[in-house]
Amino acid sequence: MAPLKSWLPIPADSDFSLSNIPFGIIHSKSDADWRPAVAIGDFAFDLKAFAAGNGFAKLKSSSFSDTKELFAAFKRPTLNAFAALGRPTHNAVRTYIQDILVENTKFPELLKDNEKLRETVVIPKHEFKTHIPMQIGDYTDFFAGINHAFNVGTMFRGPANALQPNYTHLPVGYHGRASSVVVSGTPVRRPNGQVLLDPAADPKVPTFGPCRRLDMELELGCFLCTGNTLGEPLRIGEQAEGAIFGYVLMNDWSARDIQTWEYVPLGPFNAKNFATTISPWVVLADALEPFRTSGLPNETQLLPYLTESRQDSFYDIKLEVDLTTPDGSTTTISRVSAKNLLWSFPQMIAHHSVGGCQMNTGDLLGSGTISGTESDALGSLLEMCEGGKKEIMLAGMDVRKFLKDGDEIIIRGVCENEEVGRVGFGECAGRIESAIQL
Amino acid sequence: MAPLKSWLPIPADSDFSLSNIPFGIIHSKSDADWRPAVAIGDFAFDLKAFAAGNGFAKLKSSSFSDTKELFAAFKRPTLNAFAALGRPTHNAVRTYIQDILVENTKFPELLKDNEKLRETVVIPKHEFKTHIPMQIGDYTDFFAGINHAFNVGTMFRGPANALQPNYTHLPVGYHGRASSVVVSGTPVRRPNGQVLLDPAADPKVPTFGPCRRLDMELELGCFLCTGNTLGEPLRIGEQAEGAIFGYVLMNDWSARDIQTWEYVPLGPFNAKNFATTISPWVVLADALEPFRTSGLPNETQLLPYLTESRQDSFYDIKLEVDLTTPDGSTTTISRVSAKNLLWSFPQMIAHHSVGGCQMNTGDLLGSGTISGTESDALGSLLEMCEGGKKEIMLAGMDVRKFLKDGDEIIIRGVCENEEVGRVGFGECAGRIESAIQL
């Protein structure tokens, strides 16, 4: 089997091959309404226009008898209504769009040979803009990257006590701030806040000002398509997997100095709630199926509600982090696979809902920071600079410990193999703006 | 000045006097749509029906030139659209309804003498049901009850280290789970989860099962009507106060055994996200103005962004907690004023947004557990039973440490003085259902 080819010109190195078909929200020069689209090569494929132009005429699926709800979902300004239709529908639509775009399509009359519809449906790169893909109900950030947890725990408590006793028994997580999730390209303002400049002083007296230890965190984000009734958990296995819509790249920006002072005893708060950036295109769980792999080993005997029958609920996504300084020079500061997690998303979902917590369409789960074991495979500057002890060497003789104003972080992620080709996420980018004067 | 009297029959001990006029969401026998209403005595005053029947004909306010948006808001299934119109509008509507309902109303033709409209607008108790009043964007729970923080801190670390060094410098809080907020009367299912039965064991191995230390937390909840742009804080004073829509009673149910095992290092998670109950009627900030008072003294020199020019941003709400056991006997287990807080809601809002976090219409802030200093004025069973060391004595020779299946907790809250009369919150009630079998 070789990768699918399209009659549309798709660059060989595009993240958005015909094997991918990720969903997002766009507006364009020709239509100012925010609406669902699919990314294909350098184009956006306008689902609203395609439905309006009768492009779904040949769509047949056992998962829906009529297409009214589907077409209504393609007129909405977020993907929530589409997501809520469930995984069989997402997959039927994805497969159908592949059938429409494949080189030797059985339905050339619908788009390939229909110049008029092509002009409204296939929108070139410079004519559309992407937006936040989902209306996020609740956002939860987990801590499933054990290498990161170990590295950071070591800084605070030494290697023997780096991981808390609960760490290998349950996926530790905390509730994040949904309102602060922004789409790639949104500027990130350096937060002001309370910090403790002299931790040894007695009494401890904080000062106020712009964060001095502004960091990024490399994460994988997971959007839910369906949820549960309050009080009724989603079980590990089919139920939890069936609740997964798809994945995005995530940068959970962190103000380390604010965090150190505020986080005891109730966890991070203002250190995190100023911005979390996600990539705009949701890569469907189905598109990542060929790249399933195992995660990091957990020797702890898990409780049944967390025990998966399969061991491959992780993905070998090659993640990269670029830092571009204000002078324009770029350094790749990290390269690491997304399989560096102790807990899978189905496990996170099973744990999150086991006490009855209601999960909803549009909920966003973060994996926690993904770090490998090598020094060039770390997911945060905090780890790269060893808590501030070491300079991170950049191109152009520049150095960093934490982020300066004008620095841009771009995360990329790609899966690739010979059979399927390239399935990527595009960019998750954010540039630091200076703090406001208070 | 004496309390306002109405031509409607309002019981003298009603929380919903003419001085109150709290807003909520109802549906009724006559109209199945969820819609805004006001509570008055034992009635719901249907705002949608009143607007449709031209009841607002005499409404004049400098805060809005036309009433189109307002009437549209009165057709919505939550109060968000009404809240978003801002405090001057809330107050104009509240005052107008008082003008309509007052004994010697200037506009008797609009409702008092209009029997037909009265029949649709004034709905008796047994003909309507209340619902969750707001679509909650994000829910944040603070920890501003210093007596509670001290009591609980003492159990874990002794009195000398009970409060963390940051406690008097900033209002500590954490992001809660918006999806788990339910309206009074919703059953609360006992959560299952991981607990550590033997904390001394090495290695520590958790077991799974129904929570054994199910607790309540007495809190005041605050709904926001307006917010800020991401990156632009709401300043203490007028900006923060202007963002407050009103207040509800809140019970932040807590699974203490789950919490103890899970909460390090990122804070409470499944211990809290199975349910948080709120009272259905939002008492406007303006209705509480006559009951402003000072909070608990904070001798710490505050940073300017937290320094209020006034010292009376707290309310003397008399809170009561009743526990009714399955046999029907009721004990008032706590009586405490809501002024027992170290931080005011304007301070919480200023802190929450100081790093740029976006606050939105419908956000819910919890005060944290409100405890006094006496043993009959505590806001959680954990404090009443001294961490499990002591039985709480109930009516009918019964005792409790934590909640049993079938127990019901009802929180009430009332302000009262001679000039204004009674301004209360109604009930915040929840009964414990047994855990599901997993």
Side-chain angles (χ1 to χ4, degrees), chain B residues 126-154:
Chain B
H126 56 280
E127 291 186 10
F128 69 89
K129 200 176 164 331
T130 50
H131 300 286
I132 190 105
M134 305 282 279
Q135 183 181 354
I136 299 165
D138 281 288
Y139 158 46
T140 299
D141 201 21
F142 283 90
F143 194 46
I146 188 171
N147 294 325
H148 169 76
F150 180 81
N151 291 340
V152 174
T154 300

Side-chain angles (χ1 to χ4, degrees), chain B residues 395-408:
Chain B
M397 302 297 288
D398 212 347
V399 293
R400 285 290 180 281
K401 288 178 177 173
F402 295 95
L403 294 169
K404 292 192 174 174
D405 292 347
D407 284 351
E408 183 177 30

Side-chain angles (χ1 to χ4, degrees), chain B residues 84-398:
Chain B
L85 296 175
R87 285 188 61 167
T89 298
H90 314 153
N91 201 31
V93 171
R94 172 170 172 266
T95 307
Y96 181 76
I97 292 172
Q98 288 174 328
D99 290 345
I100 293 291
L101 292 176
V102 74
E103 205 162 30
N104 53 350
T105 173
K106 283 178 287 179
F107 316 118
E109 73 282 8
L110 289 180
L111 196 69
K112 186 180 177 189
D113 298 341
N114 183 341
E115 192 182 334
K116 203 174 148 219
L117 190 58
R118 253 185 13 241
E119 274 176 12
T120 64
V121 169
V122 182
I123 308 175
K125 201 174 185 170
H126 56 280
E127 291 186 10
F128 69 89
K129 200 176 164 331
T130 50
H131 300 286
I132 190 105
M134 305 282 279
Q135 183 181 354
I136 299 165
D138 281 288
Y139 158 46
T140 299
D141 201 21
F142 283 90
F143 194 46
I146 188 171
N147 294 325
H148 169 76
F150 180 81
N151 291 340
V152 174
T154 300
M155 288 178 205
F156 289 105
R157 292 176 298 273
N161 301 304
L163 298 177
Q164 300 289 345
N166 57 17
Y167 189 85
T168 62
H169 290 279
L170 58 84
V172 170
Y174 70 99
H175 302 120
R177 179 81 189 177
S179 74
S180 65
V181 180
V182 298
V183 76
S184 178
T186 308
V188 173
R189 205 186 268 285
R190 181 183 300 274
N192 288 292
Q194 287 195 26
V195 301
L196 191 66
L197 291 183
D198 180 5
D202 185 20
K204 297 184 196 303
V205 178
T207 56
F208 182 82
C211 165
R212 295 166 181 224
R213 305 187 98 192
L214 185 56
D215 200 355
M216 47 83 52
E217 288 193 333
L218 171 63
E219 301 199 20
L220 190 63
C222 173
F223 273 114
L224 300 196
C225 54
T226 50
N228 58 314
T229 306
L230 188 69
E232 308 279 347
L234 287 164
R235 312 297 170 100
I236 195 96
E238 270 178 41
Q239 277 192 2
E241 298 227 14
I244 296 176
F245 180 44
Y247 298 90
V248 290
L249 304 175
M250 180 185 289
N251 184 345
D252 189 37
W253 306 93
S254 298
R256 299 297 179 195
D257 43 1
I258 294 173
Q259 188 172 354
T260 306
W261 172 235
E262 77 175 0
Y263 92 107
V264 177
L266 298 182
F269 187 59
N270 281 352
K272 301 279 191 172
N273 66 22
F274 58 97
T276 299
T277 304
I278 60 171
S279 55
W281 297 104
V282 182
V283 177
L284 293 188
D286 286 315
L288 291 177
E289 276 295 307
F291 306 99
R292 275 183 175 267
T293 186
S294 54
L296 297 176
N298 189 349
E299 280 158 29
T300 297
Q301 173 72 43
L302 297 184
L303 285 161
Y305 83 96
L306 287 171
T307 305
E308 287 186 277
S309 57
R310 56 194 304 172
Q311 304 307 315
D312 61 349
S313 296
F314 302 82
Y315 301 106
D316 188 15
I317 307 167
K318 286 168 190 60
L319 301 167
E320 280 191 11
V321 181
D322 280 1
L323 194 167
T324 301
T325 56
D327 69 9
S329 63
T330 296
T331 311
T332 300
I333 56 175
S334 185
R335 285 188 180 88
V336 59
S337 168
K339 71 181 180 182
N340 281 279
L341 295 171
L342 191 71
W343 299 99
S344 71
F345 281 103
Q347 287 175 316
M348 296 180 216
I349 292 166
H351 179 67
H352 202 321
S353 65
V354 74
C357 180
Q358 189 171 358
M359 315 300 291
N360 291 308
T361 300
D363 284 350
L364 177 62
L365 311 181
S367 61
T369 306
I370 301 172
S371 288
T373 50
E374 303 301 317
S375 63
D376 57 355
L378 300 170
S380 69
L381 301 181
L382 182 68
E383 292 164 88
M384 297 179 208
C385 75
E386 295 176 9
K389 286 190 282 190
K390 203 185 108 178
E391 304 274 15
I392 304 163
M393 308 307 286
L394 302 181
M397 302 297 288
D398 212 347

Side-chain angles (χ1 to χ4, degrees), chain B residues 68-83:
Chain B
K68 225 172 102 181
E69 276 186 317
L70 182 67
F71 294 175
F74 289 155
K75 293 179 186 166
R76 307 290 305 157
T78 67
L79 294 175
N80 292 51
F82 173 62

